[in-house]
Structure formats: C-alpha cells, structure tokens
C-alpha cells in the first residue's frame, strides 16, 4: 500500500477540484482495502473512498481524515458471467465485453469511473442500467466487519440509487458480478430513441455490438461526456443533476407552470416512472429556465456541449462550482417549482 500525507485530491477527480487529504492510501488488493478500512474505523478516523473520481465534489479545504483510493484490478469472464474488481476502469471493461461478443453494458460505454462505483449509483445511460445485469456485489460490511455477498434484489436498485448509496458509511464494494447475454454478436434491444435514430433502426431492434458501443461513444463525445484532458467540457462529473421524478400532483402543477411560462401548448418531457410518478428532463428544465450551453462568466460554467454538465474551465475552485450549481437550481425552482438534486457526491460541502 502506498501512503502519502497532506496529499492533493484534485488530480484524482474529473473536476480537478478540491483540497488535500490528511492521508491518502492507495490499495491494490481487496485485502489492502479491507485492512485500510478496518484501521480507519478502529481509530475512529473519517474515511473517504475514491475510485475513478468521476462523481466527487470535494471541498476546497480538502478532507481531514484518510482518503482510500481503490486501485484493485481483475477482469474474469466465465461464459456470460463477468466479475470485475472494484478498481477496474469501467470504460475498458465495457470494451472488453464487446470484444468478447457479450451484450448488456455496451450502451454504458464511455462512462468515466471505476467498476466499483457502478452499483452504488446504479449507473445508467442510453437505455441501459447496471441493475439489469448485476447478479451480485461483493462488499466489506463495516458494521459486521466481514465480507458479504449481496444479490441483485438485496442491492435495492432504483433510478440512480441503491442500498449502498442509501447507507454510504456501511459498505465498501470490492467486486461486482454481472450476468451478460450471448446474442451472437448483437447488442441488447436498443431502447433509447436517440441511439436508435443514430443507428438508423427502430427501438427494440438489435445491432452489432461494436456499432452500438461506437455510436454511444460518438453521442457522448458530442456532449462532452467522454474524458479528454484537452477539452474543458469534460472537466466535469457528467450530469450534475438527476432527472426529477414527480408525483402526479407535482407533475400537474409543473405542467401548469410550463404553460404559464412558455405558452399554451408547451409540453415538458414526460416519461413513465412507476405508478403515480413521471420523470422529466433536468437538461430541459435548465435550458428553459435560461441557463443555456456555455452559461457563466467565471472559471466554472455550464458545458458548451450539454446544459446538464457543470465544468471547470481551468482555475476554478469548488466554491465557484457550487455557486453556479446553486444559481442553476434556484433558477429552475423559481421558473418551474421543481427542485433539482445533485448527482455527484459532495465531500465537506453541500448545495
């Protein structure tokens, strides 16, 4: 295990923001991860877990405690069963499953971060979510101080949520197991309309796996959602806000506000989200509230490619970013009465 003191954390995040940690440990095996967690818990030291750093907003003062960077590796494929170590780079793992001719995560190509973070956030994009293919998650339970195996049902998956996110101080993900599909080199059914249009097929059709992955990568790159050190639009955490899910009464009130603001006949995006609930688009809300692509004058601005990404244009501080996030959230609430919720995890700060 590598150990550093007063260690910069900004380089470990895609925002490139945040102050130092009192101590930074890099663990490369499950045993090292568990040992570091046990040591911190035994001493009562605050613990921050870091994977790919693509979903973290760390305060400018940094983190007083132990930051544990999980850098484990392991890709094991047995038929259609895949096991990934928590530290595996997710984009690389997706590429390897496509090369192996297995469907199930091909539309999750280009998402930054590590494999261990995928069940926590129930990562999803372009019509796929990891909850559809995860069979088990192996984790260290800090409460019982033992390694446990949780089934898909026990993970409590929902939209961008899970048991791990609901109780962030309890579990440390060590390995994730997936059950993929052998569809003779074809993708899973294409569910997302934008992807289907780009591929020239109908929703529900299957396409060659490589075509699905490459199309998603192009779509993401066009929105600044594929990491590129030279492109400040990718100095972000991807989508900063989750798509709001509204109860029927809330959605009716929201539609009324839309008509009032945008005129009769204006209709917001609406997607079924379970009985009595409708999901709408955070990007649509932000744009219609007046926060367009490239909005801002300081070092933190909305992406020039996608209204849902807040970015560090270079030289920003975390407080610059949060000020922008608060301005956007307040503007959306004032315009439409809808409360936006941040998707990235905040450390030492809040909206």
């Amino acid at each position: 295990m590598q150990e550093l003191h007063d260690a910069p954390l900004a380089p470990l995040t895609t925002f490139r923001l945040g102050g130092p940690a009192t101590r930074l440990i890099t663990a490369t095996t499950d045993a090292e991860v568990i040992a570091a967690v046990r040591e911190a818990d035994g001493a009562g030291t605050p613990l921050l877990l870091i994977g790919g750093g693509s979903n973290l907003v760390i305060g400018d003062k940094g983190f007083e405690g132990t930051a544990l960077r999980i850098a484990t590796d392991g890709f094991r494929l047995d038929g259609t069963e895949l096991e990934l170590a928590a530290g595996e780079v997710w984009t690389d793992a997706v590429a390897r499953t496509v090369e192996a001719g297995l469907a199930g995560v091909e539309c999750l190509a280009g998402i930054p971060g590590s494999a261990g973070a995928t069940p926590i956030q129930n990562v999803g994009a372009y019509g796929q979510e990891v909850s559809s293919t995860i069979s088990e998650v192996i984790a260290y339970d800090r409460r019982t101080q033992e390694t446990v195996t949780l089934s898909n049902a026990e993970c409590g998956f929902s939209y961008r949520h899970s048991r791990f996110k609901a109780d962030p101080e309890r579990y440390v993900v060590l390995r994730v197991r997936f059950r993929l599909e052998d569809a003779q080199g074809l993708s899973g059914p294409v569910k997302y309309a934008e992807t289907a249009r780009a591929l020239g097929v109908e929703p529900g059709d299957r396409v060659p796996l490589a075509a699905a992955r490459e199309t998603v990568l192009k779509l993401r790159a066009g929105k600044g959602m594929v990491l590129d050190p030279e492109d400040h639009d990718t100095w972000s955490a991807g989508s900063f806000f989750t798509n709001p899910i509204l109860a029927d009464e809330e959605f009716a009130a929201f539609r009324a506000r839309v008509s009032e603001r945008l005129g009769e006949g204006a209709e917001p995006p609406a997607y079924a989200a379970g009985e009595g609930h409708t999901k709408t688009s955070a990007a649509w809300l932000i744009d219609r509230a007046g926060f367009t692509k490239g909005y801002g004058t300081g070092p933190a601005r909305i992406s020039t490619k996608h209204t849902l990404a807040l970015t560090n244009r270079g030289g920003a501080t975390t407080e610059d970013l949060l000020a922008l996030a608060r301005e956007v959230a307040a503007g959306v609430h004032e315009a439409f009465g809808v409360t936006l919720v941040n998707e990235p995890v905040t450390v030492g700060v809040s909206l």
Side-chain angles (χ1 to χ4, degrees), residues 134-334:
I134 287 177
S135 57
E136 294 177 331
V137 175
I138 297 89
Y140 175 69
D141 186 336
R142 297 167 68 181
R143 185 179 300 170
T144 64
Q145 299 184 28
E146 60 185 4
T147 300
V148 296
T149 300
L150 301 173
S151 68
N152 181 291
E154 290 173 320
C155 291
F157 290 124
S158 60
Y159 172 64
R160 300 298 174 271
H161 199 68
S162 69
R163 178 176 186 171
F164 311 105
K165 190 172 181 179
D167 194 358
E169 302 298 320
R170 180 166 182 182
Y171 296 102
V172 179
V173 175
L174 301 173
R175 295 184 175 266
V176 188
R177 291 174 178 158
F178 299 82
R179 184 169 293 116
L180 302 175
E181 179 189 8
D182 184 352
Q184 285 74 56
L186 295 179
S187 69
V190 177
K191 296 179 180 179
Y192 201 68
E194 183 183 16
T195 315
R197 285 195 301 270
L199 286 162
V201 300
E202 294 296 320
D205 289 349
R206 293 175 183 261
V207 299
L209 276 165
R213 175 177 174 270
E214 289 163 10
T215 297
V216 165
L217 286 173
K218 288 178 183 176
L219 290 172
R220 290 186 64 87
K223 299 173 183 177
M225 299 290 186
V226 176
L227 294 182
D228 177 355
E230 302 303 314
D231 183 359
H232 282 275
D233 279 333
T234 74
W235 290 30
S236 75
S239 300
F240 194 88
F241 298 103
T242 57
N243 290 321
I245 295 177
L246 307 175
D248 286 344
E249 288 185 7
E250 294 172 321
F251 190 76
F254 166 51
R255 285 184 69 194
R257 293 283 287 270
V258 170
S259 293
E260 180 183 323
R261 182 179 177 89
L262 303 179
E264 290 295 329
E267 286 289 339
Y271 311 96
E275 187 175 352
H277 291 82
T278 301
K279 181 167 67 175
T280 193
S281 165
W284 186 93
L285 285 164
I286 292 167
D287 183 73
R288 298 309 189 280
F291 302 100
T292 53
K293 295 174 184 176
Y295 178 87
T297 57
R301 302 179 200 173
I302 291 178
S303 166
T304 66
K305 300 183 180 71
H306 199 293
T307 53
L308 202 47
L310 307 188
T311 68
N312 172 9
R313 311 313 296 186
T317 65
T318 301
E319 195 50 45
D320 292 330
L321 175 76
L322 294 176
L324 176 62
R326 292 174 187 131
E327 181 185 2
V328 170
V332 166
H333 191 271
E334 181 180 356

Side-chain angles (χ1 to χ4, degrees), residues 6-10 18-23 58-64:
D6 195 28
L9 295 180
T22 307
R23 182 173 70 150
I58 299 172
D60 293 317
K61 292 183 179 179
F63 183 71
E64 290 189 18

Side-chain angles (χ1 to χ4, degrees), residues 19-190:
T22 307
R23 182 173 70 150
L24 171 65
I25 291 176
T26 299
T28 58
T29 67
D30 289 355
E32 288 181 353
V33 171
I34 293 170
V37 173
R38 282 180 171 163
E39 179 194 23
D41 288 350
T45 303
L47 181 67
L48 171 64
L49 303 175
I50 300 177
S54 60
N55 204 42
L56 277 180
V57 178
I58 299 172
D60 293 317
K61 292 183 179 179
F63 183 71
E64 290 189 18
T66 296
L68 173 58
R69 179 171 171 263
I70 299 176
T72 55
D73 60 12
F75 179 104
R76 186 172 64 82
L77 193 57
D78 182 8
T80 59
E81 306 293 319
L82 171 67
E83 181 179 286
L84 298 177
E88 278 289 323
V89 176
W90 176 250
T91 54
D92 294 347
V94 171
R96 292 177 70 177
T97 67
V98 169
E99 289 171 3
L102 298 176
V105 294
E106 63 279 0
C107 290
L108 303 179
I111 294 177
S114 61
T118 60
I120 298 171
Q121 192 75 3
N122 186 16
V123 163
Y126 295 97
Q128 288 183 339
E129 288 184 331
V130 291
S131 57
S132 298
T133 49
I134 287 177
S135 57
E136 294 177 331
V137 175
I138 297 89
Y140 175 69
D141 186 336
R142 297 167 68 181
R143 185 179 300 170
T144 64
Q145 299 184 28
E146 60 185 4
T147 300
V148 296
T149 300
L150 301 173
S151 68
N152 181 291
E154 290 173 320
C155 291
F157 290 124
S158 60
Y159 172 64
R160 300 298 174 271
H161 199 68
S162 69
R163 178 176 186 171
F164 311 105
K165 190 172 181 179
D167 194 358
E169 302 298 320
R170 180 166 182 182
Y171 296 102
V172 179
V173 175
L174 301 173
R175 295 184 175 266
V176 188
R177 291 174 178 158
F178 299 82
R179 184 169 293 116
L180 302 175
E181 179 189 8
D182 184 352
Q184 285 74 56
L186 295 179
S187 69
V190 177

